[in-house]
Amino acid sequence: MADIPDATAAEFDAAMLRAGLAVPAALRAAVLPGYAELRQQVELLRGLPATAEPSNVFRLHPMGAA
Amino acid sequence: MAGDTPSIAEMGRQLRAHQTTSEALTRAALDRVAAADGALHAFITVTADRALADARKADAAFAAGQDAGPFQGIPYALKDIYDTGGIRTTCHSKLREHVVPAVDSEVARRLAAAGGTLVGKLATHEFAIGGPSFDLPFPPARNPWNVEHITGGSSSGSGAAVAAGMVRMAMGSDTGGSIRGPAAYCGTVGMKATYGRVSRRGVFPLSFTLDHTGPLTRAVEDAAITLQVIAGHDPLDTASADVPVGDYLAGLQGGVAGMRLGVPRAFFAKALAATPDMLAAFDRSVAALREAGATVEDVELPEYALFNACGRVILTSEAYAVHEADLRTRLSDYGFITQQRFVLGAGLTAADLVQAFRVRRQLTDAVNAVLGRYDALLTASALAVAPRFDAVPDPNRSAAAPMQTLPFNVTGHPAMSVPTGKGEGGLPLSLQVVGRPFDEATVFRIGRAIERATGWDGAAGECPQ
């Protein structure tokens, strides 16, 4: 895990703690590289203008009067 | 061998000509399961009594002159995340090892109403994610082309059962490629129709906005027949689309002359996991489609990495939401690989997920824009042949991911994996045909043209197992 920054590992530990997950050491070691990659991927998603709407904005259809 | 099993259409012809009975076809399927499944582990539960009861009912209907259509009397199997009333539905997990649903999933109901005979419930990666795993209540399915190799997942048993000729059709589910991946590795057809085309109701969720249900089949025609039976609006599935279902068989043999097909080559040509045999087979299929009269051109889509990041954040977040309570209280009851996949969701924020949904709209629009100029896209499915069990990549590292299926779960477009030939070790190769929303008929037609060129629905695609 030498390639995982300490800050990333600490962020992971904090997230697991907040979620109430008791992550054993072996699981932590297995997941951390993937977590670091996931955080890098998340950065790819940023930078859209404020007006860019998400895919799950929804519309209602009229039902008629009660 | 798969070649020993008649196609769904051929079984239908024999049934209607009184050359066979559904009971005979179903007993033959059960015999193939009994002979092969000890080595393949495709099935979690074999439902022999149910299958034979279904078969006798189908035969009685034929005798009475009642014909429910092309699936009447046809043996099939379901991935074990499809609820089946009175039959356990385990999700291949200790957490649901003894769960027996009260009612059928909508797809199971439609297949039963169409007269199919349910042979059993199939292995999956636990909760349709991760795997293959050896720390679950049931062993992982093995690839009939070579049992030292994986089937791909998560519809692992579906791929194995169809490739081994146990059944011509097995239902899978596809959240990031779980129909098309095992189809690619096992040399079957795998059809993920448009999001909302086939009901998800009663199928255990992995990721609500990415989940699709669909068939793995020995040949394209089998998939078209199956989709004809299972497609259509389900008002009790909130994602189900109220869009008319076309005739998937009418134009199936019509060829590709005059079609315009786009190839987002940058998607896969530079991918770390892409292998020369896959690329060569892809190009042979493109050449065959050109020879058959299609225009095939390279096209530009947004970077694959953006699709991948978007899909991964959505999948990881939604799956975590489904399993949050059990992860807190029963973490060790999940398999180790499943734990790895699911706990990552706790490391994502609400803003991460909203950004992914914002990007998703842009990506969907971008694919639609290209499909405004082309009838369909051709791209890679699996980037190489199935790896050995001891060479499976880390499921949490997507940079070298062996599949390129997730983009069309993100966008919801119909996408089908079609075999293109054999590669290293004689294992199957494939490509992916991606269509316009709700235009599954064109996807099938292109897939059939590829199949005709490769001869995969005949001897070329017979599995030696």
Side-chain angles (χ1 to χ4, degrees), chain B residues 107-188:
Chain B
V107 166
R109 188 197 68 77
R110 290 188 188 207
L111 289 167
T117 71
L118 177 63
V119 172
K121 306 293 293 294
L122 296 159
T124 168
H125 291 172
E126 186 179 27
F127 288 112
I129 196 169
S133 299
F134 290 88
D135 58 352
L136 302 176
F138 315 100
R142 290 179 174 271
N143 195 318
W145 291 82
N146 184 332
V147 295
E148 299 303 318
H149 290 247
I150 70 168
T151 57
S154 62
S155 305
S156 51
S158 306
V162 172
M166 297 175 182
V167 286
R168 285 293 288 206
M169 189 286 283
M171 288 300 301
S173 67
D174 192 317
T175 304
S178 288
I179 290 171
R180 290 160 289 157
Y185 279 172
C186 294
T188 79

Side-chain angles (χ1 to χ4, degrees), chain B residues 13 221 253 351 358 445:
Chain B
R13 279 190 285 273
E221 183 192 52
Q253 309 293 344
R358 297 170 83 212
R445 190 164 166 169

Side-chain angles (χ1 to χ4, degrees), chain A residues 19 37 39 41 46 49 52 55, chain B residues 312 328 347 352 357-358 398:
Chain A
E37 184 190 78
R39 292 312 315 171
Q41 289 183 301
R46 293 189 152 83
S55 57
Chain B
R312 192 175 181 202
R328 282 185 181 144
D352 294 337
F357 281 137
R358 297 170 83 212
S398 63

Side-chain angles (χ1 to χ4, degrees), chain B residues 41-73:
Chain B
H41 308 303
F43 280 79
I44 288 176
T45 303
V46 177
T47 54
D49 291 345
R50 158 73 187 267
L52 292 170
D54 287 346
R56 291 178 190 119
K57 189 174 166 188
D59 287 332
F62 280 124
Q66 299 162 355
D67 195 334
F71 222 78
Q72 184 164 302

Side-chain angles (χ1 to χ4, degrees), chain B residues 29-252:
Chain B
L30 291 167
D31 288 347
R32 289 191 294 272
V33 173
D37 206 47
L40 297 178
H41 308 303
F43 280 79
I44 288 176
T45 303
V46 177
T47 54
D49 291 345
R50 158 73 187 267
L52 292 170
D54 287 346
R56 291 178 190 119
K57 189 174 166 188
D59 287 332
F62 280 124
Q66 299 162 355
D67 195 334
F71 222 78
Q72 184 164 302
I74 304 298
Y76 68 99
L78 296 168
K79 183 176 183 175
D80 205 23
I81 65 170
Y82 283 73
D83 277 357
T84 38
I87 301 168
R88 70 174 175 168
T89 300
T90 69
C91 297
H92 210 126
S93 177
K94 182 177 179 182
L95 282 90
R96 296 180 64 85
E97 190 175 354
H98 305 293
V99 171
V100 179
V103 297
D104 281 351
S105 54
E106 175 62 8
V107 166
R109 188 197 68 77
R110 290 188 188 207
L111 289 167
T117 71
L118 177 63
V119 172
K121 306 293 293 294
L122 296 159
T124 168
H125 291 172
E126 186 179 27
F127 288 112
I129 196 169
S133 299
F134 290 88
D135 58 352
L136 302 176
F138 315 100
R142 290 179 174 271
N143 195 318
W145 291 82
N146 184 332
V147 295
E148 299 303 318
H149 290 247
I150 70 168
T151 57
S154 62
S155 305
S156 51
S158 306
V162 172
M166 297 175 182
V167 286
R168 285 293 288 206
M169 189 286 283
M171 288 300 301
S173 67
D174 192 317
T175 304
S178 288
I179 290 171
R180 290 160 289 157
Y185 279 172
C186 294
T188 79
V189 172
M191 177 48 141
K192 178 202 82 67
T194 311
Y195 185 70
R197 175 52 97 193
V198 183
S199 176
R200 307 160 307 141
R201 180 161 56 93
V203 178
F204 200 90
L206 174 58
S207 178
F208 303 107
T209 70
L210 296 169
D211 287 344
H212 299 64
T213 53
L216 290 86
T217 58
R218 173 70 175 83
V220 172
E221 183 192 52
D222 299 322
I225 290 171
T226 304
L227 192 64
Q228 202 75 62
V229 171
I230 61 175
H233 185 223
D234 173 8
L236 299 180
D237 174 351
T238 53
S240 182
D242 192 1
V243 175
V245 176
D247 185 336
Y248 300 131
L249 294 166
L252 186 62

Side-chain angles (χ1 to χ4, degrees), chain B residues 229-293:
Chain B
V229 171
I230 61 175
H233 185 223
D234 173 8
L236 299 180
D237 174 351
T238 53
S240 182
D242 192 1
V243 175
V245 176
D247 185 336
Y248 300 131
L249 294 166
L252 186 62
Q253 309 293 344
V256 294
M259 283 194 189
R260 288 174 54 79
L261 307 176
V263 176
R265 193 169 293 273
F267 253 37
F268 57 89
K270 294 183 291 186
L272 293 174
T275 54
D277 54 354
M278 184 281 292
L279 294 168
F282 185 94
D283 287 338
R284 282 196 300 275
S285 292
V286 166
L289 292 169
R290 285 193 174 118
E291 180 71 19

